[in-house]
Amino acid sequence: MKIFPAIDIEDGHCVRLKQGKIEDLTVYGDDPVKMAQKWEKEGAKQLHVVDLDGAFKGNGENKEIIGKMAKAISIPIEVGGGIRTEQAIKEYLDLGVYRVIIGSKAVASPYFAIRAAKEYGADHVAVSIDAKGDEVATHGWVGGSSRKVMTFAETLLTHGVNTLIYTDISRDGMLVGPNFDMMAKLQALDGIHLIASGGVSGAEDLRKLARMGVYGAITGKALYEGKVSMREIVEIGE
């Protein structure tokens, strides 16, 4: 299983939110580039980066910083947050980002994500399924939609998207463990590369996800708060 240390960027800082709420923010560093270099030096094999300003505003304010991160390290970076145009996808890939993550735009138009996966390769495009209950959320998690998690996932997988990142918003940043029941349902779908996100509380959660056979897992607050170490991440992941 691939384990992705998370770097969330807001106003140029490395931060973590609780349940996606911008007003419930903790700052963990002032230099995302140095943070990326730190995790690589300690053994990370890949990173998960979110432009929170982009997620809430859709303007890609931190694109320059993310480009510097991609150049400063040799491990793959996946990036999400406000990627809602084909131009944005291309710009990130041209900056050296390995995989772009489409969220709100894919909810509004699954065809957009499906076409992007065909155009740029399924390994380089993921769709983020951020859920409140069984309903998919949008626009920095503050908006709702009529789409249900399982039917949305099935639509994407049937048409060529293979990497899905599932987050239970109620658990994100809460250190209460992922939504293993929903992970199991998604993991049973044919052809899925499932990345688990939200709620990881320590190494045992990561071990359980690995035993389930999921493709990847993201850890943010647990890593920054010392609930899981990079040594354990290297030991569990690949």
Side-chain angles (χ1 to χ4, degrees), residues 78-232:
E78 61 177 27
V79 174
I83 300 176
R84 296 168 190 163
T85 66
E86 188 167 345
Q87 179 182 349
I89 294 172
K90 188 174 186 305
E91 286 177 353
Y92 272 121
L93 294 176
D94 287 346
L95 285 172
V97 167
Y98 179 77
R99 180 186 293 124
V100 295
I101 303 164
I102 305 170
S104 300
K105 181 66 176 182
V107 179
S109 173
Y111 177 69
F112 176 82
I114 290 164
R115 185 178 62 197
K118 291 178 179 177
E119 175 72 19
Y120 299 103
D123 287 345
H124 299 291
V125 175
V127 171
S128 182
I129 300 180
D130 307 317
K132 295 180 177 179
D134 65 349
E135 183 179 295
V136 182
T138 63
H139 296 89
W141 299 356
V142 297
S145 77
S146 61
R147 298 195 185 278
K148 302 301 182 183
V149 170
M150 293 302 293
T151 53
F152 184 45
E154 288 166 349
T155 296
L156 295 166
L157 293 169
T158 300
H159 293 93
V161 176
N162 63 23
T163 304
L164 302 181
I165 302 172
Y166 171 78
T167 305
D168 183 328
I169 295 170
S170 70
R171 295 169 181 262
D172 191 68
M174 302 302 289
L175 300 173
V176 294
N179 185 335
F180 289 108
D181 290 342
M182 183 59 80
M183 298 293 179
K185 292 176 183 177
L186 288 165
Q187 180 63 14
L189 297 176
D190 288 340
I192 193 170
H193 290 177
L194 177 62
I195 299 178
S197 172
V200 167
S201 63
E204 187 50 42
D205 286 341
L206 294 174
R207 292 189 182 97
K208 184 172 180 177
L209 290 166
R211 291 193 296 269
M212 290 171 65
V214 303
Y215 169 82
I218 296 165
T219 180
K221 190 168 186 179
L223 177 60
Y224 290 93
E225 296 284 341
K227 306 296 185 182
V228 63
S229 67
M230 278 303 306
R231 179 185 58 77
E232 290 171 312

Side-chain angles (χ1 to χ4, degrees), residues 21-99:
K21 298 174 182 176
I22 197 69
E23 67 272 15
D24 202 343
L25 176 150
T26 303
V27 177
Y28 288 102
D30 294 327
D31 192 332
V33 176
K34 287 184 179 178
M35 189 69 76
Q37 291 173 319
K38 167 184 166 66
W39 296 140
E40 180 184 37
K41 184 178 180 181
E42 292 187 12
K45 300 294 194 299
Q46 50 272 315
L47 293 177
H48 174 84
V49 178
V50 178
D51 178 355
L52 288 173
D53 296 300
F56 286 103
K57 304 172 188 175
N59 55 13
E61 279 186 16
N62 295 298
K63 194 174 293 180
E64 183 179 345
I65 292 173
I66 293 168
K68 290 178 181 177
M69 293 170 71
K71 288 180 174 63
I73 62 176
S74 60
I75 57 176
I77 297 176
E78 61 177 27
V79 174
I83 300 176
R84 296 168 190 163
T85 66
E86 188 167 345
Q87 179 182 349
I89 294 172
K90 188 174 186 305
E91 286 177 353
Y92 272 121
L93 294 176
D94 287 346
L95 285 172
V97 167
Y98 179 77
R99 180 186 293 124

